[in-house]
Amino acid sequence: MLRFEIRATRMALRDAICLHIEKRLEELGIHFKFPSASKVTYHKDSFPAMMAAGLEKVTVTKASLQAALFKGGIPCTVKDLDSRFNQYVAELAKDLNKMRVIVE
Protein backbone atom coordinates (compact mmCIF):
# COMPACT_ATOMS: atom_id res chain seq x y z
CA MET A 1 0.00 0.00 0.00
CA LEU A 2 1.23 3.47 -0.83
CA ARG A 3 -0.09 6.55 0.91
CA PHE A 4 0.83 10.08 0.01
CA GLU A 5 -0.54 13.59 0.20
CA ILE A 6 -0.95 15.88 -2.77
CA ARG A 7 -0.80 19.48 -1.69
CA ALA A 8 -1.54 22.63 -3.67
CA THR A 9 -0.03 22.11 -7.10
CA ARG A 10 -0.59 22.95 -10.74
CA MET A 11 0.50 19.44 -11.72
CA ALA A 12 -2.16 17.22 -13.26
CA LEU A 13 -3.57 14.67 -10.80
CA ARG A 14 -2.43 11.77 -13.01
CA ASP A 15 1.13 13.13 -13.12
CA ALA A 16 1.23 13.64 -9.36
CA ILE A 17 0.04 10.09 -8.68
CA CYS A 18 2.46 8.57 -11.21
CA LEU A 19 5.34 10.57 -9.75
CA HIS A 20 4.63 9.30 -6.21
CA ILE A 21 4.36 5.70 -7.43
CA GLU A 22 7.62 5.99 -9.41
CA LYS A 23 9.46 7.40 -6.38
CA ARG A 24 8.26 4.54 -4.16
CA LEU A 25 9.25 1.96 -6.76
CA GLU A 26 12.74 3.53 -6.96
CA GLU A 27 13.04 3.16 -3.17
CA LEU A 28 12.36 -0.55 -3.68
CA GLY A 29 14.99 -0.75 -6.42
CA ILE A 30 12.43 -1.06 -9.21
CA HIS A 31 13.05 1.23 -12.16
CA PHE A 32 9.80 2.07 -13.90
CA LYS A 33 8.51 5.22 -15.58
CA PHE A 34 4.91 5.67 -16.64
CA PRO A 35 4.47 6.78 -20.25
CA SER A 36 3.52 10.43 -20.68
CA ALA A 37 -0.18 11.18 -20.61
CA SER A 38 -0.07 12.24 -24.25
CA LYS A 39 1.00 8.71 -25.27
CA VAL A 40 -1.60 6.79 -23.27
CA THR A 41 -5.21 6.21 -24.27
CA TYR A 42 -6.06 3.77 -21.47
CA HIS A 43 -4.13 4.32 -18.25
CA LYS A 44 -4.97 0.94 -16.79
CA ASP A 45 -2.68 -0.70 -19.39
CA SER A 46 0.34 0.81 -17.62
CA PHE A 47 -0.22 -1.13 -14.41
CA PRO A 48 0.59 -4.66 -15.65
CA ALA A 49 3.83 -3.28 -17.08
CA MET A 50 4.58 -1.59 -13.77
CA MET A 51 3.88 -4.78 -11.84
CA ALA A 52 6.17 -6.77 -14.12
CA ALA A 53 9.04 -4.27 -13.96
CA GLY A 54 11.65 -5.81 -11.74
CA LEU A 55 9.21 -8.11 -9.96
CA GLU A 56 9.75 -11.83 -9.75
CA LYS A 57 6.59 -13.86 -10.28
CA VAL A 58 6.49 -16.81 -7.90
CA THR A 59 3.73 -19.38 -8.24
CA VAL A 60 2.75 -21.25 -5.10
CA THR A 61 0.44 -24.24 -5.06
CA LYS A 62 -1.88 -24.84 -2.15
CA ALA A 63 -0.26 -28.25 -1.66
CA SER A 64 3.28 -26.83 -1.42
CA LEU A 65 2.16 -24.11 0.98
CA GLN A 66 0.33 -26.64 3.13
CA ALA A 67 3.36 -28.95 3.15
CA ALA A 68 5.59 -26.10 4.27
CA LEU A 69 3.23 -25.04 7.05
CA PHE A 70 2.70 -28.60 8.29
CA LYS A 71 6.42 -29.39 8.24
CA GLY A 72 7.40 -30.12 11.81
CA GLY A 73 3.95 -31.32 12.76
CA ILE A 74 0.52 -30.01 13.54
CA PRO A 75 -0.83 -28.71 15.87
CA CYS A 76 1.75 -25.99 16.38
CA THR A 77 2.05 -22.56 17.94
CA VAL A 78 1.37 -19.35 16.03
CA LYS A 79 5.07 -18.54 16.38
CA ASP A 80 5.99 -21.89 14.75
CA LEU A 81 3.49 -21.29 11.95
CA ASP A 82 4.87 -17.79 11.35
CA SER A 83 8.43 -19.11 11.29
CA ARG A 84 7.54 -21.87 8.82
CA PHE A 85 5.75 -19.45 6.53
CA ASN A 86 8.61 -16.94 6.56
CA GLN A 87 11.15 -19.68 5.87
CA TYR A 88 9.05 -20.98 2.98
CA VAL A 89 8.67 -17.54 1.42
CA ALA A 90 12.38 -16.77 1.85
CA GLU A 91 13.22 -19.93 -0.11
CA LEU A 92 11.01 -18.85 -3.02
CA ALA A 93 12.67 -15.61 -4.12
CA LYS A 94 16.01 -13.88 -4.17
CA ASP A 95 14.61 -10.50 -3.12
CA LEU A 96 11.43 -10.40 -1.03
CA ASN A 97 10.81 -6.75 -1.96
CA LYS A 98 10.56 -7.71 -5.62
CA MET A 99 8.48 -10.84 -5.20
CA ARG A 100 4.93 -11.20 -6.46
CA VAL A 101 3.17 -14.31 -5.16
CA ILE A 102 0.45 -16.09 -7.07
CA VAL A 103 -1.37 -18.90 -5.28
CA GLU A 104 -2.85 -21.60 -7.51
Side-chain angles (χ1 to χ4, degrees):
M1 179 184 296
L2 174 62
R3 292 184 183 178
F4 54 87
E5 183 176 328
I6 299 174
R7 298 178 182 211
T9 182
R10 292 184 184 261
M11 183 183 288
L13 179 61
R14 183 235 185 238
D15 295 337
I17 291 170
C18 289
L19 180 65
H20 281 284
I21 293 172
E22 289 170 356
K23 284 182 179 180
R24 179 64 180 133
L25 291 172
E26 280 293 326
E27 291 171 6
L28 296 172
I30 300 169
H31 308 289
F32 179 81
K33 298 288 181 196
F34 285 96
S36 69
S38 64
K39 295 182 180 179
V40 177
T41 58
Y42 186 58
H43 297 291
K44 193 174 178 181
D45 288 342
S46 299
F47 287 95
M50 178 193 66
M51 293 301 294
L55 296 180
E56 179 183 351
K57 178 182 172 183
V58 177
T59 303
V60 175
T61 64
K62 292 177 186 177
S64 67
L65 179 58
Q66 182 178 10
L69 296 178
F70 287 12
K71 189 176 187 178
I74 293 291
C76 65
T77 65
V78 173
K79 185 177 178 181
D80 289 339
L81 195 60
D82 182 57
S83 175
R84 293 172 190 175
F85 178 77
N86 288 332
Q87 181 179 355
Y88 176 68
V89 170
E91 292 171 357
L92 294 175
K94 299 173 190 115
D95 186 348
L96 297 179
N97 290 323
K98 295 181 181 180
M99 183 173 136
R100 182 174 51 137
V101 178
I102 298 172
V103 179
E104 292 183 339

